[in-house]
């Protein structure tokens, strides 16, 4: 079946602009996660959704970052007033439930110039 | 706070040789994951280890878990060039949601 998909695959934006990154989880997966991976490092947790609600947003670095999952399926990560330090690969993962294995999408490479 | 450390961070080895990657985690965790990442690609799940003493093998890779020592190992047997990639271990927190990743081990297997 279809895996986790993310769009766009690449996004280049200017400092100060607003961006939205989209994640389509595997159908039926109730848990959805966002991670951020900087060059040469392991992914870092940002936020976790169980259904429509953000169950844990402790990894969001500051209030410029926000994520939604209004219908419990597709999620959008929103970054306001982007900074060069936001440049990274943003990975989305989904799982059948919170205790099950997480399946990762291909990621969105964000470059802030 | 859960912390995960891997070593070595970089490993260059000859084809046919054996080696082990180590993954230590700082607090109790109920499962340990190993992922492979090729350059520019996402994470491919290799193993999920659920209990103390768990051992899983797939091809030339074997993973084990010692929850008392908070240590997992990924053993490579008779390495081949196709195994060249970055390998990450990750542990989940006991609430079962977020994963905390190690820094990764970049493996290069030379012919």
């Amino acid at each position: 079946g279809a895996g986790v998909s993310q769009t766009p695959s690449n996004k280049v934006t200017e400092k100060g602009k607003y961006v939205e990154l989209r994640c389509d989880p595997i159908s039926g997966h109730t848990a959805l996660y966002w991670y951020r991976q900087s060059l040469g490092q392991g992914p870092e947790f940002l936020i976790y959704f169980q259904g429509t609600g953000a169950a844990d947003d402790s990894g969001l670095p500051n209030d410029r970052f926000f994520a939604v999952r209004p219908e419990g399926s597709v999620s959008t990560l929103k970054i306001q007033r982007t900074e060069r330090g936001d440049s990274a690969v943003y990975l989305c993962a989904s799982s059948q439930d919170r205790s099950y294995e997480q399946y990762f999408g291909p990621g969105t490479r964000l470059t802030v110039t | 706070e859960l912390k995960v450390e891997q070593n070595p961070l970089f490993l260059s080895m000859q084809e046919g040789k054996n080696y082990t990657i180590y993954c230590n985690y700082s607090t109790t965790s109920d499962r340990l994951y190993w992922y492979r990442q090729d350059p520019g690609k996402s994470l491919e799940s290799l193993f999920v280890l659920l209990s103390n003493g768990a051992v899983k093998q797939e091809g030339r890779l074997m993973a084990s878990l010692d929850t008392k020592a908070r240590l997992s190992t990924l053993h490579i047997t008779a390495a081949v060039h196709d195994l060249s990639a970055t390998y990450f271990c990750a542990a989940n927190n006991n609430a079962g949601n977020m994963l905390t990743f190690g820094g990764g081990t970049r493996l290069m297997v030379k012919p």
Side-chain angles (χ1 to χ4, degrees):
Chain A
V4 178
S5 62
Q6 293 185 243
T7 54
S9 56
N10 282 283
K11 176 70 177 179
V12 181
T13 190
E14 293 180 349
K15 179 177 178 294
K17 298 291 187 182
Y18 168 83
V19 296
E20 291 189 351
L21 311 179
R22 176 187 169 108
C23 172
D24 280 89
I26 293 172
S27 178
H29 280 194
T30 59
L32 184 147
Y33 309 80
W34 284 98
Y35 294 85
R36 177 168 73 172
Q37 186 175 24
S38 299
L39 189 64
Q41 299 182 19
E44 294 178 317
F45 169 76
L46 295 176
I47 187 169
Y48 151 61
F49 287 89
Q50 183 63 40
T52 60
D56 186 341
D57 66 356
S58 61
L60 294 178
N62 51 60
D63 61 6
R64 296 187 296 105
F65 288 74
F66 188 71
V68 295
R69 194 186 185 197
E71 298 180 358
S73 178
V74 170
S75 176
T76 305
L77 178 65
K78 307 180 181 191
I79 311 174
Q80 297 178 323
R81 304 183 303 280
T82 52
E83 300 177 356
R84 292 193 179 89
D86 298 336
S87 297
V89 175
Y90 289 81
L91 294 167
C92 176
S94 70
S95 66
Q96 188 174 339
D97 196 350
R98 67 177 189 176
S99 296
Y100 285 75
E101 183 173 356
Q102 295 181 23
Y103 295 87
F104 282 80
T108 294
R109 182 176 298 277
L110 175 66
T111 303
V112 181
T113 62
Chain B
E1 179 187 354
L2 175 61
K3 293 185 179 180
V4 179
E5 291 187 356
Q6 283 180 243
N7 70 85
L9 298 181
F10 181 78
L11 177 57
S12 178
M13 54 192 299
Q14 296 288 331
E15 280 192 330
K17 299 294 186 182
N18 305 331
Y19 209 84
T20 300
I21 300 170
Y22 297 89
C23 174
N24 290 90
Y25 53 100
S26 61
T27 64
T28 57
S29 176
D30 61 3
R31 59 195 66 205
L32 195 291
Y33 301 81
W34 285 96
Y35 289 91
R36 168 180 173 148
Q37 187 174 41
D38 292 288
K41 304 294 186 182
S42 191
L43 298 165
E44 174 191 352
S45 178
L46 295 175
F47 302 106
V48 182
L49 303 168
L50 302 178
S51 60
N52 188 44
V55 177
K56 291 192 174 180
Q57 183 164 5
E58 181 72 33
R60 300 174 187 274
L61 301 178
M62 182 174 70
S64 66
L65 179 62
D66 180 342
T67 57
K68 295 180 181 178
R70 297 176 186 161
L71 170 69
S72 180
T73 61
L74 180 66
H75 186 72
I76 303 156
T77 302
V80 293
H81 179 69
D82 285 351
L83 290 179
S84 298
T86 299
Y87 292 85
F88 291 97
C89 65
N92 74 333
N93 65 11
N94 288 329
N97 45 20
M98 71 183 217
L99 295 181
T100 299
F101 284 82
T105 297
R106 185 179 170 198
L107 172 66
M108 290 184 62
V109 181
K110 299 179 179 179

